[in-house]
Amino acid sequence: MKGKKTSESYCLGIESTADDFGVGISTFNGKILANIISAYIPPEGGIHPREAARHHAKVGNKVLEEAFQKAGIKPRDLSIISFSQGPGLGPCLRTGATVARALASYLDIPLVGVNHCVAHIEIGKLKTGAEDPVTLYVSGGNTIVSAFDSGRYRVFGETLDVALGNCLDVFAREAGLHQRVGEPFGAVVEKLAANGKKLIHLPYTVKGMDMSFSGLLTAVINLLKKGEYKLEDLCYSLQETAFSMVTEVTERALAHTEKKEVLLTGGVAANKRLQLMIKAIAEEHDADFSVMPREFAVDNGAMIAWTGILAYKHGVVTPIEKSFVKLRWRLDEVEVPWVE
Ligand code: AMP
Ligand code: MG
């Protein structure tokens, strides 16, 4: 294929850690030219890793084509390929990695493996202008409070069991709520919660700086099954309790690090009530508050493309033989030499 003559350099990033297959294309200067996401919605029940992976394999070609079309470039114009190497679900990660390896070998260009959690922070900084934030990253698979210190993004607090988004999703499923395209379970819970009035006492578990949502989830599901409370009140109480936990930990990280910015990202960042709570503690500590727009808050390929560029510019490349996926690759294991 003959590419358009261009002096710009581009990276294509592939995201496939869980239920979303995303392809993003970014210029080396951080202009996002395309960010196409195809979300897998299971017919019923939760995400089955192999079925999600099958979805990714099926839509892969179409999503790639759409991304090239949107960006107005050809595969030959690319300088590097990056992919989310972890953490995530094995079959899903492997599908994305396979596509990335095939593209990089075929085009004979460098491959860069990116940590998914680092990518959420980097796209957050790119899109909001935050320079050195305390980040609250809350999604279907992760709940992490982090901030940069001596070469790495350190984890100040995290969930000890299920992620905040997953907690909302499991509850919604138990309650028989329905998910439509573009309206995730968390958003359905948020709508119901807005009409809740009664705050029901539920387990609130913060241990040191870490959080546990499983006791809360079990308790609220038990109350749901008893049928004594209105669903709106249960949604409201679940949100208030869970969001207070992440807010407490974020505030303590802010007080400890004395950073002057707070960044809220991940799929759950779309929640207006959570935004208000985090904004309030940011203001109390004279810190700027930013929330990521949804397109870049959910799992997406643009964040992988951009982080691939940052890493590549600092000499990071991933030879094919070292491009195996890392299911439990922690945020704080990654050196980020591009951050001052
Ligand atoms: P991600 O894992 O980043 O792709 O985000 C997906 C998660 O975000 C799921 O757990 C959703 O239920 C959750 N989510 C999306 N919108 C909202 C919302 N408005 N309120 C709470 N959670 C949400
Ligand atoms: Mg997702």
Side-chain angles (χ1 to χ4, degrees):
M1 202 178 300
K2 224 163 141 201
K4 173 173 79 178
K5 286 276 166 294
T6 166
S7 54
E8 278 257 44
S9 298
Y10 306 97
C11 173
L12 179 143
I14 296 176
E15 157 61 33
S16 72
T17 50
D19 57 337
D20 301 299
F21 184 83
V23 173
I25 297 177
S26 173
T27 69
F28 271 37
N29 295 323
K31 194 157 174 250
I32 306 298
L33 303 180
N35 190 28
I36 312 293
I37 305 169
S38 170
Y40 169 67
I41 297 181
E44 57 183 30
I47 302 171
H48 191 291
R50 266 195 307 272
E51 271 157 30
R54 214 169 292 142
H55 159 268
H56 298 348
K58 202 173 107 201
V59 302
N61 244 344
K62 200 177 103 238
V63 176
L64 277 168
E65 256 172 38
E66 223 180 297
F68 280 116
Q69 209 166 45
K70 182 90 198 285
I73 65 160
K74 298 267 187 278
R76 287 280 170 222
D77 298 323
L78 297 171
S79 298
I80 56 171
I81 303 284
S82 60
F83 70 106
S84 51
Q85 198 172 1
L89 306 171
C92 300
L93 283 168
R94 272 176 223 117
T95 305
T98 305
V99 176
R101 281 183 210 115
L103 269 174
S105 325
Y106 176 71
L107 297 168
D108 196 20
I109 56 177
L111 182 66
V112 182
V114 166
N115 179 287
H116 176 88
C117 306
V118 170
H120 270 290
I121 299 173
E122 292 304 345
I123 195 80
K125 287 159 62 182
L126 177 74
K127 283 288 164 189
T128 66
E131 287 177 357
D132 184 22
V134 166
T135 303
L136 172 61
Y137 163 37
V138 273
S139 70
N142 292 283
T143 305
I144 300 177
V145 176
S146 70
F148 180 81
D149 184 42
S150 343
R152 290 174 194 215
Y153 290 113
R154 308 286 164 176
V155 175
F156 282 85
E158 62 192 320
T159 178
L160 297 168
D161 39 60
V162 293
L164 176 55
N166 192 240
C167 174
L168 299 173
D169 295 348
V170 172
F171 174 75
R173 240 179 266 124
E174 286 285 335
L177 299 175
H178 292 287
Q179 191 183 21
R180 277 172 284 165
V181 176
E183 197 190 41
F185 277 134
V188 182
V189 172
E190 178 176 17
K191 268 194 203 156
L192 287 164
N195 294 317
K197 290 185 185 70
K198 185 178 165 61
L199 186 62
I200 304 158
H201 180 80
L202 291 169
Y204 179 104
T205 319
V206 175
K207 297 178 184 169
M209 286 289 276
D210 291 331
M211 298 149 271
S212 161
F213 296 99
S214 69
L216 165 62
L217 180 58
T218 309
V220 73
I221 288 174
N222 285 341
L223 290 181
L224 172 77
K225 286 182 176 158
K226 274 194 182 160
E228 285 168 15
Y229 294 103
K230 282 208 219 150
L231 184 57
E232 286 82 354
D233 290 335
L234 288 170
C235 290
Y236 169 67
S237 306
L238 172 60
Q239 277 199 175
E240 290 303 301
T241 309
F243 294 173
S244 300
M245 286 162 55
V246 292
T247 303
E248 179 193 330
V249 174
T250 308
E251 177 169 27
R252 278 158 58 197
L254 196 56
H256 175 80
T257 59
E258 297 181 346
K259 304 255 184 205
K260 287 291 155 220
E261 294 160 320
V262 181
L263 173 67
L264 175 60
T265 191
V268 187
N271 192 290
K272 293 281 185 294
R273 176 64 184 141
L274 179 62
Q275 291 175 10
L276 273 180
M277 287 166 88
I278 301 298
K279 184 161 182 264
I281 54 126
E283 278 170 1
E284 266 171 40
H285 291 263
D286 287 321
D288 288 330
F289 169 72
S290 329
V291 58
M292 279 302 276
R294 188 172 157 72
E295 179 191 0
F296 297 103
V298 298
D299 296 344
N300 67 88
M303 68 180 191
I304 303 300
W306 173 235
T307 309
I309 290 165
L310 293 173
Y312 179 73
K313 282 183 176 168
H314 282 78
V316 180
V317 289
T318 310
I320 301 272
E321 64 278 11
K322 289 199 175 142
S323 64
F324 47 83
V325 298
K326 306 178 191 178
L327 277 57
R328 299 188 180 280
W329 193 15
R330 284 179 60 84
L331 171 68
D332 50 10
E333 286 170 25
V334 187
E335 306 262 2
V336 289
W338 56 86
V339 185
E340 302 281 296

